[in-house]
Amino acid sequence: MTQDEMKKAAGWAALEFVQDNSIVGVGTGSTVNHFIDALGTMKDRIEGAVSSSEASTERLKAMGIPVFDCNQVDKLDIYVDGADEITAHKAMIKGGGAALTREKIVAAIADTFVCIIDDTKQVELLGKFPLPVEVIPMARSYVARELAKLGGRPVYRQGVITDNGGQILDVHDLQITDPQALETKINGIAGVITVGLFAHRGADVVIMGTPEGAKRID
Ligand code: 5RP
């Protein structure tokens, strides 16, 4: 099985969490794109979706799935999204696709975070994947200096403007032993919009695509 086939297996397996007549929280990325394709096959049984990015919104609409503004929805049963890295405790690094802020917002209103990954995403320690931090553009250099003080090596993701008008610093060389503490610390730096650590609100269930098919980890 290729990595994309494993992503596809995970994306389609996530359909088991979708309730009839519900509004589904939808993340961003190549694994989620498979989930959106799968969701399209049951579009007449759901009310619609809340999306975490313009890219996912476009794909959902192309499938004929109505997309609701997050402000119109109090709560979601599920939020389905991928991850760049995930630990056994279900803490994650996200934001490889620069959608981390909206992902964190939609995840926050969901009862259950269903994380869909291929088996390359599981790690013992977060940090090999550079940690994305979305920043207000005028704060970029200041935030980069503060991140360097924490032992990281921030690299400006050139040419990327997020859906919120932010910029991204990717922080290399971190070994994240206490993800919750680091999430709190980085969120406290002036000018940070969001850090791509999802530790305070991690995943609840993981569906992992493997060469043997999709495996569920509760
Ligand atoms: C986007 C994300 C994605 O969930 C993450 O990058 C995983 O992407 P993919 O499914 O393409 O491997 O956080 O901001």
Side-chain angles (χ1 to χ4, degrees):
M1 247 198 205
T2 64
Q3 188 178 10
D4 192 58
E5 285 166 340
M6 291 192 278
K7 290 180 182 203
K8 185 174 179 180
W12 280 76
L15 278 191
E16 73 164 290
F17 287 91
V18 179
Q19 302 287 327
D20 282 356
N21 305 314
S22 65
I23 299 175
V24 182
V26 176
T28 299
S30 55
T31 317
V32 165
N33 283 345
H34 289 299
F35 173 67
I36 295 173
D37 294 346
L39 201 58
T41 64
M42 58 177 293
K43 66 177 177 208
D44 298 330
R45 286 168 43 200
I46 59 169
E47 265 194 58
V50 172
S51 164
S52 70
S53 64
E54 299 299 335
S56 288
T57 297
E58 205 174 296
R59 198 175 181 99
L60 286 158
K61 285 185 174 167
M63 284 278 166
I65 299 171
V67 178
F68 293 89
D69 186 303
C70 196
N71 292 302
Q72 294 175 274
V73 178
D74 292 338
K75 163 178 119 55
L76 298 165
D77 295 333
I78 59 163
Y79 175 62
V80 180
D81 199 359
D84 298 302
E85 285 185 344
I86 185 163
T87 67
H89 294 106
K90 302 188 181 70
M92 295 167 281
I93 285 183
K94 292 183 45 54
L100 59 162
T101 298
R102 294 190 187 190
E103 291 173 343
K104 215 174 251 199
I105 295 166
V106 186
I109 64 165
D111 286 340
T112 303
F113 188 136
V114 180
C115 180
I116 51 175
I117 51 165
D118 63 84
D119 68 0
T120 63
K121 305 292 183 72
Q122 269 196 326
V123 296
E124 272 184 34
L125 196 64
L126 297 172
K128 194 164 173 211
F129 188 93
L131 176 65
V133 180
E134 183 172 353
V135 299
I136 299 283
M138 72 168 283
R140 192 183 69 236
S141 298
Y142 166 69
V143 173
R145 290 193 295 276
E146 293 300 302
L147 292 169
K149 285 182 198 164
L150 297 177
R153 184 171 56 84
V155 175
Y156 172 35
R157 204 184 292 180
Q158 298 271 357
V160 172
I161 300 288
T162 71
D163 289 345
N164 317 301
Q167 295 176 339
I168 301 283
L169 293 167
D170 290 306
V171 191
H172 295 247
D173 302 339
L174 289 173
Q175 293 207 332
I176 305 171
T177 50
D178 188 343
Q180 289 199 358
L182 190 63
E183 184 177 2
T184 302
K185 202 177 264 181
I186 294 177
N187 274 332
I189 300 171
V192 167
I193 300 172
T194 309
V195 57
L197 267 175
F198 286 56
H200 286 288
R201 203 283 180 257
D204 299 298
V205 184
V206 178
I207 300 181
M208 185 170 67
T210 74
E212 293 79 43
K215 287 188 182 157
R216 176 175 162 168
I217 305 162
D218 286 289

